[in-house]
Each structure stands twice: as structure tokens, then as C-alpha cells.
Amino acid sequence: FFSNFALADGNKFDGPYAGIHIGYDTSYANGTGYDVNGATGYTSSNFSIGSTVFGGFVGFNKVLTNNVLVGIEADYEFQNADKTSIELFNGVPDDEDFRVKNKAGDAASIRAKLGYVFNENRTLAYLTAGYAIEKLKNTYIDARESPVVTNTSSNWYKGWTVGAGGEHFVYDNLAIKAEFRYTDDDTQVDS
């Protein structure tokens, strides 16, 4: 759910705007291949992690004469979700001493918007799509060693995002919106 402060006069959705958002993110990982001491075939288990996210956004809209809206929006959000799982070796769960901790971090996107304004210029339904990045940290743990051996990599993953949403002005310059987005990040191999 988002709150939006519009800075434009005239049509409520026309012009620059900024706001804050809070929501929930569920990330799914299909496993990341890597090498350990020359061995190959290791992957992290398939898993999902969820986290509350919060952040901010800015954008600019132009409402055309037929109530069609075109715009651009950028956002940045913070999250702190992690999960530790047993690694797989050639698809089979390995010894419990071999684990991987995956942590989802900050994310951002820049997107185009296409929508339609109705309800006396108070409500907007829209589609959005664009470029997205997310920071992921992977820590591989070998608990057989003393002290425990870890290997950590932290990378930004780039990809694309698509979504849809609705926005409604509850006051002259204050709107709320709900949005659902799907993001697909690159697959990255760590070594």
C-alpha cells in the first residue's frame, strides 16, 4: 500500500509526485551454482523468503485529453529477510554441516506507467513495467571445520519488473494506492 502526495494543480494525476510505501515481498530462489574447493555440483536449496518492505518513490505523470495517463516512476525500498537451508549436491540434500544463508536486501526500479483516469479525475488504474535491481547476499557455511569456514558473496542482481495497480485521491493532494509487481532477476553464479 502506498501513500502519494501530488504536487500538480489541475488534473490530480498530472505532474510530479512523491510518496512513501510499505508492503510485503516474497522472494523465490531456484538455487545458485558455485564451486567449493574445486568441487562442482553444489547449489542452494530452492526456497522462498518473505519480508516487510518500506521505501519511497518519485514520478511524473501526463494525463492526455482522452484521460489516458502516461508516466515514469522510480522507487527504492529496504528489506531484511534471510533464510538458511541445507545445500544440495547434484540435486540431493547434502550433509547438514553444509548450509547456505541467503539474505535479500535493498531493491530499486525505474518504470513506465500507462493508465486510465476516471471517477471525476480521482481514481487511476494502471499498468507498469521497467528495469529493476536487488541486492542479495549468499553465505556458504562449512560447519565440519573448526573454526567454521564461511564464504560470502554480495551482489546486485538486475532484471525486469511488471505490475498493475490502482490509485485513489482521498484528499485534494493525498492519494493511496495498491500495487502488485512481479520481478525477475538475473541468475548469477558465485565462486
Side-chain angles (χ1 to χ4, degrees):
F1 292 94
F2 299 77
S3 65
N4 180 10
F5 182 73
L7 305 176
D9 295 326
N11 189 300
K12 295 183 183 306
F13 291 102
D14 201 25
Y17 61 91
I20 58 172
H21 68 262
I22 186 169
Y24 191 80
D25 174 72
T26 302
S27 297
Y28 298 94
N30 295 322
T32 301
Y34 71 102
D35 295 341
V36 176
N37 298 326
T40 61
Y42 285 94
T43 63
S44 59
S45 301
N46 294 344
F47 68 95
S48 66
I49 52 178
S51 173
T52 301
V53 296
F54 64 94
F57 59 92
V58 295
F60 185 88
N61 293 327
K62 179 64 180 170
V63 180
L64 307 177
T65 55
N66 54 2
N67 280 0
V68 171
L69 178 141
V70 293
I72 188 166
E73 183 172 297
D75 65 3
Y76 194 93
E77 63 190 25
F78 307 92
Q79 60 179 325
N80 189 16
D82 61 64
K83 184 172 185 176
T84 302
S85 57
I86 297 172
E87 293 174 359
L88 304 178
F89 181 71
N90 292 327
V92 178
D94 204 352
D95 187 295
E96 290 189 12
D97 288 335
F98 295 102
R99 299 185 305 275
V100 61
K101 180 178 181 180
N102 303 95
K103 182 175 182 179
D106 298 354
S109 72
I110 183 164
R111 296 167 283 107
K113 286 173 66 175
L114 176 65
Y116 185 75
V117 178
F118 58 99
N119 191 24
E120 299 178 350
N121 296 328
R122 298 188 68 82
T123 306
L124 167 68
Y126 64 90
L127 301 173
T128 185
Y131 176 80
I133 59 172
E134 181 176 11
K135 189 171 188 179
L136 300 175
K137 180 178 181 181
N138 302 310
T139 302
Y140 305 101
I141 303 161
D142 181 352
R144 293 182 312 167
E145 303 292 332
S146 181
V148 172
V149 174
T150 61
N151 180 11
T152 299
S153 66
S154 183
N155 299 292
W156 284 93
Y157 290 73
K158 63 184 185 298
W160 52 269
T161 185
V162 295
E167 190 169 344
H168 180 74
F169 273 91
V170 292
Y171 299 106
D172 282 343
N173 283 326
L174 181 65
I176 58 171
K177 69 177 177 177
E179 182 177 275
F180 174 83
R181 282 208 331 256
Y182 173 82
T183 301
D184 191 324
D185 295 321
D186 283 349
T187 299
Q188 180 159 342
V189 177
D190 299 316
S191 59

